[in-house]
Amino acid sequence: MSQGIHHTEVDGIPTLFAYATGPMRAGLVFRVGVADETLAGAGITHLVEHLALHRQGLADYHFNGATKAAFTHFHVEGAEHEVVAYLDGVCTSLLDLPMERLETEKEILRTEEAGREPGQLPLWRYGAQGYGLVSYPEWGVRGLRPDDVRAWAGTWFTRDNAVLWIAGERLPAGLSLKLPGGRRHPMPAVTSALPTAPAYFSDGKGGVLLDAVVTDTTAARLYAGVLERELSRSLRQEGGYSYTAAADYASRRDGFATVTAFADALLAKQDAVLGGFVDVLAGLQVGRITQADLEAVRGRSDATLTAPDAAVRRLPGAAEDLLAHRQPRGLDELRAELWAVTPQHVHAVALEAAGTALLQAPSGHKADWAGYTAAPTTSSYAVTGTRFEAVRKGGPALVVGGEGVSLTAGGEAATVLYRACAALLSWPDGGRRLIGTDGLSVEVEPGEYGIDAHTMATIDAAVHPSAVVHLPPRQQRQRQSAGAASAGDARGSGGAVQQKTVARRTGGQTAMLVIFGVLAGLWSLLALSYTVFGFSDPETSTGEWAALAVFLWGVGALLAWPAVRVVRSTRRG
């Protein structure tokens, strides 16, 4: 056990203790999180967390809960008796959740979700399952029943799937944690939606964001620090392109970790930031790592390890390690590893990160030129079955088959197989969205394709009931934009397929605009010439001149009208 952290047990729950003065701090950590859920049931762990905390009411001491990708934390800070009361209350509530609060807490979760902007990188890397679910809305909350919630709590929130940590002058007297027995659950399975890496997608809001999966080592932690220094130096201090340039390191507790880097950018500076960002990464990959940068990052890390409250700060992470069957390491071991890292070790991490990198570029920007492959927005095949042409001219076609559904256009397709459908979103107006485990989705709007009721019923029956999510009625605007990308669905409904259809339609509109515009212009010039010079012809009567002028201008207006229609259509599109 690491220096300053002692291992004991309370009511069968492994407990980590570190000596500290001042208010007592404690946390109860369970090995369950969003990555253990399904897309159709997303939000159930968060709902259990909220229900477990309800009976705490308003207190003078600080307490809270947090649902992460693979862990759920309940933590508290206060006097000894307050900590005891809080932990006892959480465990008591987990045994008998206040189901009279179920609908109210659902509303609170939906309100909380409305103000949250989940990152898109997990979705593109992992798909619509496992660790990728943190990118999606909590669609499962609305349909959860009391028995569903009780069963989830009884399976995951048990003493065998928990670790307690405490920081104080002693273990609190009278502490009792009454939880049911169970089993220690393994870490979530790691899935992939990236056929190749490094990869990129264009879905940013102005900045550049990147993550890479690397082996969880001290050298990798230092690499994240060196990367942040290089980004800040290049993009802020020297280039003046970014205000924020930062990097972060997060252990996944399964032997790997995620390095994340970000740089913001104004619209006019996006090209410069993207280029500078890639240049920094390339510099580290060829070994341009200075001893001075390494020493600066190492010094900060060592100061954190040797700080007076270092053991206390390590307690939540140590609890997660223990739940993941990883024994926390001692202070001496951590410091020895820290001071053994060389620039060559950091260079090796840079090369590893380059092989798993996923880059989020600003909208409309590409990164092929830098060696990144576009992450897939289409499927490699389409299903065979009944083809439904779009009611709207030039729209993509929908194919409904025995295996699944496909949206097709221009020789490309977005396909969701029924057996790999992570969720089927169902609206009362008949609209459906099938989301595959790879993160691709297909919109099925009966009115857009003239699909009969029997076919819609066939689709509903082909998807497993546990994957169906019944949603409330949509507003008209929501129905009209159903094919566009939505929150938690960055790849949209066959986004690339629809973009190609729109591009092809826009190209045809442009050609029509040019043709009719030129004809209208030439004819108007002829009409103008006759109007100006025809009246002076002594052989032409006033009545004849007026009649012919009206005819010429009328023909010009008829030629101009199609051009006006095209312009209006383009603006609406």
Side-chain angles (χ1 to χ4, degrees):
M1 184 53 55
S2 63
Q3 183 175 333
I5 298 179
H6 307 282
H7 193 173
T8 182
E9 190 176 282
V10 174
D11 286 338
I13 298 175
T15 302
L16 305 176
F17 174 79
Y19 179 84
T21 58
M24 180 172 285
R25 282 161 282 181
L28 187 59
V29 187
F30 293 91
R31 221 309 290 142
V32 59
V34 179
D36 298 295
E37 302 170 349
T38 64
L39 181 57
I44 188 169
T45 307
H46 195 186
L47 182 58
V48 170
E49 176 221 312
H50 270 235
L51 289 170
L53 289 177
H54 167 65
R55 293 192 180 108
Q56 300 294 329
L58 297 176
D60 294 331
Y61 58 89
H62 173 73
F63 70 89
N64 211 337
T67 301
K68 301 168 61 178
F71 301 95
T72 299
H73 292 246
F74 296 95
H75 50 88
V76 59
E77 178 177 334
E80 183 175 318
H81 70 280
E82 292 170 332
V83 170
V84 169
Y86 171 81
L87 293 173
D88 178 72
V90 167
C91 294
T92 299
S93 289
L94 287 172
L95 283 170
D96 182 22
L97 291 169
M99 289 304 172
E100 70 278 4
R101 285 282 301 181
L102 184 62
E103 296 306 317
T104 301
E105 293 300 336
K106 286 182 180 182
E107 288 297 322
I108 293 173
L109 289 187
R110 286 196 286 271
T111 303
E112 182 181 338
E113 181 180 272
R116 185 167 60 236
E117 287 193 23
Q120 299 301 326
L121 284 167
L123 156 64
W124 287 81
R125 180 176 291 282
Y126 302 108
Q129 56 185 327
Y131 288 98
L133 295 184
V134 298
S135 292
Y136 284 87
E138 294 176 336
W139 278 319
V141 167
R142 190 180 299 272
L144 290 173
R145 300 165 299 178
D147 287 348
D148 301 325
V149 180
R150 290 192 187 97
W152 190 262
T155 300
W156 295 91
F157 291 86
T158 67
R159 65 171 176 266
D160 297 293
N161 202 40
V163 167
L164 172 69
W165 63 264
I166 297 173
E169 297 182 7
R170 61 180 178 273
L171 286 175
L175 183 60
S176 177
L177 306 176
K178 302 301 183 185
L179 287 173
R183 66 181 181 89
R184 177 72 56 83
H185 291 270
M187 294 295 290
V190 178
T191 58
S192 176
L194 291 178
T196 60
Y200 82 95
F201 64 97
S202 299
D203 194 38
K205 296 184 178 179
V208 178
L209 186 61
L210 175 139
D211 78 8
V213 177
V214 297
T215 305
D216 189 5
T217 63
T218 300
R221 288 182 180 274
L222 294 180
Y223 165 76
V226 170
L227 175 58
E228 179 172 278
R229 284 178 65 86
E230 285 293 324
L231 288 172
S232 296
R233 179 186 296 118
S234 176
L235 301 180
R236 176 168 178 166
Q237 295 177 353
E238 296 176 357
Y241 307 135
S242 297
Y243 173 74
T244 301
D248 189 34
Y249 184 90
S251 173
R252 213 166 58 189
R253 309 295 177 190
D254 62 354
F256 292 90
T258 302
V259 175
T260 307
F262 169 75
D264 58 6
L266 295 174
L267 181 62
K269 300 291 186 180
Q270 288 179 354
D271 287 334
V273 170
L274 179 58
F277 197 105
V278 170
D279 286 346
V280 167
L281 294 171
L284 297 178
Q285 289 161 24
V286 298
R288 287 204 296 268
I289 300 160
T290 68
Q291 189 70 38
D293 279 344
L294 176 56
E295 294 303 335
V297 174
R298 191 197 329 259
R300 289 200 303 268
S301 297
D302 192 58
T304 300
L305 285 174
T306 57
D309 64 344
V312 174
R313 290 179 178 272
R314 293 203 307 274
L315 282 171
E320 290 186 358
D321 276 333
L322 207 57
L323 284 168
H325 299 283
R326 286 161 47 107
Q327 287 297 319
R329 292 175 297 167
L331 176 61
D332 291 341
E333 181 183 358
L334 291 172
R335 293 193 71 200
E337 287 185 6
L338 180 67
W339 288 100
V341 174
T342 67
Q344 289 71 33
H345 292 129
V346 177
H347 179 211
V349 176
L351 293 176
E352 183 183 12
T356 65
L358 175 61
L359 180 74
Q360 178 177 314
S363 297
H365 290 71
K366 296 184 177 182
D368 308 76
W369 55 269
Y372 292 79
T373 302
T377 56
T378 59
S379 304
S380 59
Y381 61 93
V383 300
T384 57
T386 305
R387 182 182 179 89
F388 295 88
E389 299 294 341
V391 174
R392 185 181 72 252
K393 186 177 181 181
L398 182 72
V399 181
V400 179
E403 294 181 285
V405 295
S406 295
L407 200 64
T408 66
E412 293 193 340
T415 297
V416 176
L417 299 178
Y418 298 132
R419 59 179 171 78
C421 183
L424 185 153
L425 307 186
S426 174
W427 287 276
D429 61 13
R432 302 288 187 268
R433 180 191 298 168
L434 290 86
I435 304 174
T437 53
D438 60 0
L440 295 179
S441 65
V442 172
E443 300 281 351
V444 181
E445 296 289 340
E448 291 288 327
Y449 299 98
I451 305 176
D452 58 274
H454 174 73
T455 300
M456 293 302 300
T458 300
I459 294 174
D460 288 343
V463 176
H464 194 278
S466 63
V468 178
V469 179
H470 294 283
L471 294 175
R474 298 178 290 181
Q475 301 298 322
Q476 181 65 26
R477 182 183 301 176
Q478 289 178 303
R479 289 196 294 271
Q480 290 173 344
S481 62
S486 62
D489 189 16
R491 290 174 174 172
S493 178
V497 173
Q498 293 199 357
Q499 287 170 11
K500 288 183 179 292
T501 303
V502 170
R504 188 169 60 251
R505 188 170 70 246
T506 303
Q509 289 172 337
T510 302
M512 290 175 62
L513 178 62
V514 171
I515 293 170
F516 283 101
V518 170
L519 288 175
L522 291 174
W523 197 270
S524 297
L525 182 60
L526 176 63
L528 179 63
S529 298
Y530 181 79
T531 302
V532 174
F533 301 108
F535 183 71
S536 61
D537 186 352
E539 297 183 3
T540 305
S541 68
T542 301
E544 291 174 336
W545 168 84
L548 187 55
V550 170
F551 170 75
L552 291 173
W553 282 109
V555 172
L558 289 174
L559 289 171
W561 178 242
V564 173
R565 291 287 301 274
V566 170
V567 170
R568 287 183 175 178
S569 175
T570 303
R571 287 178 177 173
R572 285 197 299 268

